[in-house]
Amino acid sequence: MTKNGKFDGLANVTAGATAICTVGKEGTGLTYRGYSIEDLAGQARFEEIAYLLLYGELPTEQELNDYDNRLMSLRGLPAELKAVLEQLPGTADPMDVMRTGCSVLGCIEPECTFDQQYRIAERMLALFPSILAYWYRFHRDGIRIDTESEERTVSGYFLHLLSGTKPPALHQRALDVSLILYAEHEFNASTFAARVAASTLSDMYSCVTAAIGTLRGPLHGGANEAAMELISRFDSIEDVEPALKTALARKEKIMGFGHRVYNVSDPRSPIIEGWSRRLADDSGDDRVFRISKEIETVMWQQKKLFPNLDFYSASTYHYMGIPVPLYTPIFVCSRVSGWAAHIMEQRADNALIRPTADYVGSEERSFVPMEKRHKAHYG
Ligand code: COA
């Protein structure tokens, strides 16, 4: 539990069982429901993955078609939610908007029985891109967008809402793959937060709200935005090495590198790097990609640290023209599929998650009445 006498964040602790995902332990690679991430990212689309995570099996063509139609029919924003999104400041952190949007939806369409859990999971999958794009376009462009759309895929739908035009096929597929890669990752911090909330038999919205708040931090989902901020600091490749050496000497964390579970590489990273490269080539300006490559090289030379999924997701989103503050909310739009699958799995075989702690505080002592307390005790 501890490393050098310090809390190690439950590293290598098995905190439960799951049939949803493996993350490379005991000789396995990254798999969702038994399928390798390479096969899924190469051959499937995000809606198939969401279905697989929630229902346990890949959909047939008919099932996928029906699922697409269902998700498309659930994209409409309730008027009360629109009103809240309009009232939130345009300067708010978009992750706070997602967290609030999820919570407000729970007030408007509450989960009254667990029989509603699949429908609510699908509603969130369908609606989260609408929430993000509606708030963003209202405050940036001063318009109320129509969130109904003919776009069948979540990726095409989101990009279309964001720009107001049909996205290029290459961008749509790049985002689609990114959503697949972000969909699920076993007992990561946000999923674990969702499962802790689920273990109290709380409602789906509360579980997902807890997960969004947990994903927000730069050690977790927020790393993709922090990675882009780092990449953007450099004008040329020559600037990278000295700046990183200085940062590492100061013991700064370089976001988008390292992983709690993986030791030598993150299997998702080469896949998203390939997409970053393709988009860079397509754009005719590969400077951001080349700077990213140089950061990767220096991090390996200096610290033997490898890029995780968040690092090349940053340049991939950059080449699609997605604003940086929306990077982590896009992660939410995808990971909600994994969170929902875990919430359902937790509910199906539940025990309250309530660990214990080693006590390191003062020894037991007598209560001090007010008149006998001296300022010195309390600084
Ligand atoms: N940059 C610089 N040093 C790093 C690092 C990074 N990204 N990741 C790990 N290290 C170093 C630590 O400073 C520490 O060095 P030390 O032993 O000299 O103190 C050592 O590697 C172990 O790191 P630690 O943070 O204790 O390991 P962890 O298992 O708790 O860390 C992460 C996992 C993901 C939290 C960590 O790698 C990190 O903070 N990465 C950056 C954030 C990020 O990309 N998050 C997304 C994860 S998918």
Side-chain angles (χ1 to χ4, degrees):
M1 290 285 237
T2 57
K3 184 173 72 179
N4 306 327
K6 280 177 64 189
F7 179 59
D8 70 355
L10 305 182
N12 301 315
V13 172
T14 299
T18 183
I20 301 171
C21 178
T22 60
V23 285
K25 282 185 282 192
E26 290 144 20
T28 59
L30 171 58
T31 64
Y32 297 170
R33 301 272 189 200
Y35 296 103
S36 81
I37 194 64
E38 291 79 10
D39 283 350
L40 295 175
Q43 298 179 54
R45 62 180 167 91
F46 174 65
E47 295 71 24
E48 283 173 86
I49 304 308
Y51 188 100
L52 171 69
L53 292 170
L54 292 172
Y55 295 97
E57 297 295 338
L58 287 167
T60 62
E61 197 174 352
Q62 182 62 50
E63 284 167 339
L64 183 59
N65 199 33
D66 293 346
Y67 193 57
D68 286 341
N69 289 338
R70 219 156 57 234
L71 292 181
M72 288 172 76
S73 73
L74 292 171
R75 287 174 178 164
L77 281 168
E80 303 93 317
L81 181 47
K82 282 184 187 170
V84 171
L85 294 172
E86 290 178 17
Q87 279 169 34
L88 290 176
T91 52
D93 187 305
M95 282 298 278
D96 297 341
V97 174
M98 298 305 286
R99 195 190 60 225
T100 305
C102 178
S103 194
V104 170
L105 190 64
C107 300
I108 303 166
E109 302 172 7
E111 185 182 32
C112 302
T113 103
F114 289 175
D115 294 344
Q116 296 169 298
Q117 63 182 0
Y118 284 97
R119 193 192 169 280
I120 289 174
E122 288 168 6
R123 178 74 162 139
M124 290 198 276
L125 258 172
L127 207 61
F128 280 3
S130 326
I131 289 176
L132 182 58
Y134 186 89
W135 169 82
Y136 187 74
R137 300 283 314 271
F138 179 81
H139 291 284
R140 189 194 63 174
D141 302 337
I143 55 168
R144 294 184 168 93
I145 55 167
D146 180 4
T147 58
E148 309 290 343
S149 159
E150 293 304 307
E151 293 281 353
R152 290 190 77 72
T153 63
V154 173
S155 48
Y157 173 62
F158 176 70
L159 290 174
H160 199 153
L161 288 190
L162 192 61
S163 67
T165 54
K166 191 162 183 59
L170 191 67
H171 290 196
Q172 183 267 317
R173 179 57 185 157
L175 183 60
D176 193 39
V177 172
S178 161
L179 296 178
I180 293 172
L181 299 176
Y182 269 136
E184 164 56 15
H185 215 220
E186 199 224 35
F187 275 26
N188 59 88
S190 58
T191 301
F192 194 61
R195 287 191 77 128
V196 170
S199 83
T200 71
L201 302 182
S202 190
D203 69 293
M204 177 82 76
Y205 299 99
S206 299
C207 301
V208 173
T209 303
I212 295 171
T214 309
L215 188 75
R216 188 185 189 289
L219 295 191
H220 192 7
N224 56 13
E225 294 177 19
M228 194 64 230
E229 279 151 21
L230 171 78
I231 296 163
S232 309
R233 274 187 233 154
F234 302 113
D235 289 327
S236 78
I237 288 177
E238 289 68 39
D239 300 336
V240 170
E241 186 170 348
L244 284 189
K245 279 182 169 168
T246 306
L248 291 171
R250 282 199 230 113
K251 294 253 171 217
E252 281 174 26
K253 282 263 175 93
I254 307 302
M255 298 303 165
F257 284 85
H259 200 272
R260 171 58 68 78
V261 180
Y262 300 124
N263 295 321
V264 284
S265 65
D266 178 338
R268 303 165 297 180
S269 180
I271 302 173
I272 199 66
E273 181 191 334
W275 280 97
S276 175
R277 187 192 292 272
R278 281 175 77 170
L279 295 183
D281 290 347
D282 179 64
S283 76
D285 176 6
D286 65 355
R287 189 182 61 85
V288 164
F289 181 79
R290 284 187 295 111
I291 287 173
S292 303
K293 269 319 267 182
E294 179 67 5
I295 295 173
E296 178 184 355
T297 304
V298 174
M299 285 301 285
W300 186 254
Q301 281 168 356
Q302 296 297 315
K303 292 283 283 186
K304 292 287 171 285
L305 280 168
F306 53 88
N308 55 49
L309 171 59
D310 291 312
F311 187 66
Y312 282 103
S313 298
S315 47
T316 303
Y317 291 176
H318 162 83
Y319 282 118
M320 281 186 255
I322 298 173
V324 177
L326 304 191
Y327 289 9
T328 315
I330 292 174
F331 193 158
V332 172
C333 295
S334 162
R335 184 59 62 87
V336 66
S337 56
W339 291 332
H342 278 273
I343 292 163
M344 293 178 191
E345 187 178 61
Q346 182 68 35
R347 287 173 169 182
D349 184 17
N350 189 51
L352 178 72
I353 299 174
R354 199 296 186 195
T356 58
D358 288 332
Y359 180 64
V360 293
S362 82
E363 291 186 356
E364 201 166 337
R365 46 192 173 157
S366 305
F367 180 74
V368 185
M370 185 66 78
E371 62 278 11
K372 293 202 173 155
R373 290 178 212 164
H374 303 298
K375 215 171 169 204
H377 289 300
Y378 306 96

